[in-house]
Amino acid sequence: MLQSLGKQDAPMDAYRQLFDGILSQRLSPGTKLNEVELAELFNVSRTLIRQALQRLQLEQVVEIHKNRGAYVASPTPDLAEQILLARNIIELAVVKLACKHCTQADALYLQQMINLEQSAIDQGDMATALRRSGEFHLQLAIVAGNQPFIHALRGLISQTSLIITMYNHGGGNACARDEHSHLLEAVKCGDESKAQELMAHHLGHIKQGCDFTQSPQVAGLQVAFAHLNAS
Amino acid sequence: MLQSLGKQDAPMDAYRQLFDGILSQRLSPGTKLNEVELAELFNVSRTLIRQALQRLQLEQVVEIHKNRGAYVASPTPDLAEQILLARNIIELAVVKLACKHCTQADALYLQQMINLEQSAIDQGDMATALRRSGEFHLQLAIVAGNQPFIHALRGLISQTSLIITMYNHGGGNACARDEHSHLLEAVKCGDESKAQELMAHHLGHIKQGCDFTQSPQVAGLQVAFAHLNAS
DNA sequence: GTATATTATATTGTATACAATATAATTGAA
DNA sequence: TTCAATTATATTGTATACAATATAATATAC
């Protein structure tokens, strides 16, 4: 609904399937991504699978080891720290820009995304909620209108999802709704310092909600893409 | 010398050839990158060329239009502004981190890079100087030790080279030596605010040296890779 | 002569086939 | 039984072949 593409685009489809699978927590960090298996699941050739995997690698969501295959990335606590620090720097700049550039239409759209996220939370679908939360942050960068920030955040937000999947077992991200709402309010008012303060707190909460002492279990491909195995 | 790889890696080689070609200004912005032509030049199959092109696309150095091929990116003045703004935000954070993490060995290595850059300038090889200048900035991020910043800057620095190629006809980047030296000095001392100030000025000079009113000419592939056509 | 339609060519997109490497299994010796 | 070596299998890496699309060239109508 947020991103309806008219004509089908095989490479993008394969990419998106994998991307969504990872961000929806169906594919756990560390899962091996077998090329032929994926090719058969998606009914395309390995060529397109490899394209998708390479792209995901460059977004840091997948690790590819030469001659040994692709794996869903599993950021270490140290890397997680770096990622959240980078997000803090970039998103503080982003909200500042957003305060300047946010139109009424932008604000409305952002509000809709918040509502969608909330409805996912209400239905107990935390995986979808997490994905939509990421989409909200990305949309903020789009509103800010800085291409490099958009590009960088796409990867960083995805990686943050992995981090939350791995380390945030408590699920303390439920407070996101109010935080996003308040943030949007500040952006609409053009209150830069307030918006930055809220963003800093928001990102701080993500970090606080994580316990960097335990690792997650790894699920297989068939489980992750069970909804495709109609045949 | 700075990056000697023992065993040869065909995909990386193809990528690096193209990357260096672009950053050394042998490939001008807007140049069409024909796949078969490149495959023959590098003596590899189109498969590897396409891999390299996709990677360059994700680094924003190459634009790929569906069914119409790959072109060296040619950032618009507006995008150039966004890129330099993003660099400003990120590199200010980078030097701050670098001030904290810079070891004596790091400082020595950075100094060597400055020397290499200067020797290129002395020989009048501005293309190499530009490339080495970029490597210095990237090394600073490596010293800072933040993976996402390293990753983001790799693309941003490359894009900046394109911007300079396109818009900085005056070549006013010659002042870079002193600026890099002074920057390194501040980093060695751990003087964060001083380092940030110098970095901000340095990046400001890049922008000031550009004239966003004229576009460059486009050279062909054979010219760019003439040094390969021994046969 | 210009413009449109149609054909021919060139280029990119995708799938498959083969090569190289790594992983797993098996065999044999201690 | 355990370890090592060797063979067999599976998986990834690369090149090629074919399909689809776009570009260029030619022909035809006006």
Side-chain angles (χ1 to χ4, degrees):
Chain A
M1 187 169 294
L2 288 174
Q3 193 124 350
S4 65
L5 24 84
K7 62 176 178 179
Q8 74 173 23
D9 184 356
M12 188 55 113
D13 287 353
Y15 162 78
R16 191 159 286 281
Q17 289 266 25
L18 279 166
F19 187 82
D20 284 358
I22 293 171
L23 259 63
S24 297
Q25 306 185 316
R26 290 195 300 272
L27 285 167
S28 305
T31 305
K32 163 130 201 198
L33 301 170
N34 183 293
E35 295 180 1
V36 294
E37 206 167 349
L38 289 170
E40 288 168 0
L41 276 168
F42 300 161
N43 279 309
V44 293
S45 76
R46 273 179 59 218
T47 306
L48 296 183
I49 297 299
R50 285 175 68 84
Q51 262 184 245
L53 290 175
Q54 195 192 346
R55 177 166 175 183
L56 289 164
Q57 177 190 32
L58 295 172
E59 284 178 1
Q60 314 270 57
V61 178
V62 157
E63 294 173 9
I64 298 180
H65 303 97
K66 192 171 170 62
N67 288 324
R68 301 189 60 181
Y71 297 81
V72 179
S74 53
T76 63
D78 181 53
L79 179 57
E81 182 118 17
Q82 292 177 27
I83 288 165
L84 292 174
L85 169 62
R87 278 194 66 167
N88 194 59
I89 298 292
I90 292 174
E91 299 209 61
L92 253 48
V94 161
V95 284
K96 187 175 175 182
L97 288 170
C99 283
K100 289 175 185 156
H101 295 126
C102 187
T103 68
Q104 204 154 5
D106 290 332
L108 210 71
Y109 191 64
L110 285 166
Q111 184 59 54
Q112 288 176 344
M113 300 187 81
I114 293 175
N115 295 343
L116 280 174
E117 181 190 355
Q118 184 57 34
S119 73
I121 293 174
D122 293 341
Q123 293 171 13
D125 187 350
M126 298 313 287
T128 299
L130 178 59
R131 183 167 55 77
R132 294 214 165 122
S133 170
E135 285 168 354
F136 172 80
H137 281 259
L138 188 61
Q139 186 63 32
L140 219 46
I142 292 171
V143 169
N146 186 288
Q147 225 286 317
F149 284 156
I150 297 170
H151 189 252
L153 274 182
R154 212 185 301 273
L156 290 173
I157 290 168
S158 307
Q159 291 182 85
T160 304
S161 287
L162 287 175
I163 291 168
I164 290 174
T165 300
M166 289 180 76
Y167 302 112
N168 187 344
H169 295 274
N173 207 39
C175 57
R177 173 184 139 80
D178 287 352
E179 292 192 0
H180 284 176
S181 289
H182 294 150
L183 188 56
L184 176 56
E185 213 54 46
V187 168
K188 281 201 287 192
C189 297
D191 188 340
E192 296 182 5
S193 57
K194 177 76 179 257
Q196 288 189 317
E197 183 194 324
L198 288 171
M199 177 63 87
H201 273 108
H202 179 45
L203 293 174
H205 286 162
I206 294 177
K207 189 173 173 182
Q208 286 170 18
C210 288
D211 171 14
F212 290 112
T213 57
Q214 44 190 327
S215 289
Q217 66 288 356
V218 175
L221 289 182
Q222 283 79 2
V223 179
F225 295 107
H227 57 296
L228 293 179
N229 289 4
S231 58
Chain B
M1 186 170 293
L2 287 173
Q3 194 125 351
S4 64
L5 27 82
K7 61 177 179 179
Q8 74 174 22
D9 185 355
M12 188 57 109
D13 287 354
Y15 162 78
R16 191 160 286 282
Q17 289 266 25
L18 279 166
F19 187 82
D20 284 358
I22 293 171
L23 258 61
S24 297
Q25 306 184 316
R26 290 195 302 272
L27 285 167
S28 305
T31 306
K32 162 129 200 198
L33 300 170
N34 183 296
E35 294 180 1
V36 294
E37 207 167 348
L38 290 170
E40 287 167 1
L41 276 168
F42 300 160
N43 278 309
V44 293
S45 75
R46 273 179 58 217
T47 305
L48 296 184
I49 297 299
R50 284 175 69 84
Q51 261 184 245
L53 291 175
Q54 195 193 346
R55 176 166 173 183
L56 289 163
Q57 177 190 33
L58 294 172
E59 284 177 1
Q60 314 270 58
V61 178
V62 158
E63 294 173 8
I64 298 180
H65 303 97
K66 192 171 171 62
N67 288 323
R68 302 190 60 181
Y71 297 81
V72 179
S74 52
T76 62
D78 180 52
L79 179 56
E81 181 117 20
Q82 293 176 27
I83 289 165
L84 292 174
L85 169 62
R87 278 194 67 168
N88 194 60
I89 298 291
I90 291 175
E91 299 211 60
L92 254 47
V94 161
V95 284
K96 187 174 175 182
L97 288 171
C99 284
K100 290 175 185 158
H101 296 127
C102 188
T103 68
Q104 205 154 4
D106 290 333
L108 210 71
Y109 190 63
L110 285 165
Q111 184 59 54
Q112 288 176 344
M113 300 188 82
I114 292 175
N115 294 343
L116 280 174
E117 181 190 354
Q118 184 57 33
S119 73
I121 294 173
D122 292 342
Q123 293 171 13
D125 187 350
M126 298 312 288
T128 300
L130 178 59
R131 185 168 53 78
R132 295 212 165 122
S133 169
E135 286 168 354
F136 172 81
H137 281 259
L138 188 60
Q139 186 62 31
L140 219 47
I142 292 172
V143 170
N146 186 288
Q147 224 286 316
F149 284 156
I150 296 170
H151 190 251
L153 275 183
R154 212 186 300 275
L156 290 173
I157 290 168
S158 307
Q159 292 183 86
T160 305
S161 287
L162 288 175
I163 291 169
I164 290 175
T165 300
M166 289 181 76
Y167 301 114
N168 187 344
H169 295 273
N173 207 38
C175 57
R177 173 184 138 81
D178 287 352
E179 292 192 0
H180 284 176
S181 290
H182 294 151
L183 189 56
L184 177 55
E185 212 56 45
V187 168
K188 282 202 286 192
C189 297
D191 188 340
E192 296 183 5
S193 57
K194 178 77 178 259
Q196 288 189 318
E197 183 194 324
L198 288 170
M199 177 62 87
H201 274 108
H202 179 44
L203 293 174
H205 287 162
I206 293 177
K207 188 172 171 181
Q208 285 170 19
C210 288
D211 171 14
F212 292 111
T213 58
Q214 44 190 328
S215 289
Q217 68 287 357
V218 176
L221 289 182
Q222 283 79 2
V223 180
F225 295 107
H227 57 294
L228 292 179
N229 289 4
S231 59

